[in-house]
Amino acid sequence: MKVHIIAAALLAGLSAASLSGAAQAGSFGKACTAEPREKWMSLESIERIVADHGYKIAKSKVKESCVEVYARDKQGTRVEFFIDPTTGTPVGGDWKNPS
């Protein structure tokens, strides 16, 4: 009986962990834009938009159709944004609740 309870608890924990990992993955697997690169903003312009919203940028890079930005908020908490490179807005979240 104990084995069944432990197995059920372990399975529930693994399921919850996999779901939380998927939620934290934000935009991975989803396109941020379908627009051609000629219509994209520069990485520097997107960094400026993120900084203008009060974040200190640690690293940014283009990843597939998104700009991925790693930053810290005003409290020093690490945040990650997936930015649509045509609009400069977060995908799958907003400025207060990053993806």
Side-chain angles (χ1 to χ4, degrees):
M1 185 67 158
K2 284 185 180 180
V3 173
H4 292 289
I5 294 171
I6 293 170
L10 181 60
L11 184 59
L14 290 173
S15 295
S18 67
L19 288 175
S20 68
Q24 292 176 358
S27 279
F28 284 126
K30 298 178 187 175
C32 289
T33 186
E35 295 291 332
R37 286 193 180 237
E38 300 85 47
K39 295 186 178 184
W40 290 16
M41 301 166 69
S42 69
L43 193 58
E44 293 79 19
S45 295
I46 292 172
E47 287 177 345
R48 203 167 319 124
I49 290 169
V50 174
D52 287 347
H53 280 88
Y55 296 93
K56 183 176 179 182
I57 304 205
K59 181 180 177 182
S60 63
K61 63 182 177 181
V62 174
K63 186 162 184 167
E64 297 178 19
S65 66
C66 297
V67 173
E68 196 170 346
V69 178
Y70 300 92
R72 291 191 182 264
D73 64 14
K74 291 176 184 175
Q75 291 75 37
T77 304
R78 292 181 192 179
V79 294
E80 179 178 10
F81 289 104
F82 295 93
I83 306 290
D84 179 332
T86 61
T87 64
T89 58
V91 175
D94 58 37
W95 292 113
K96 294 188 189 260
N97 301 298
S99 54

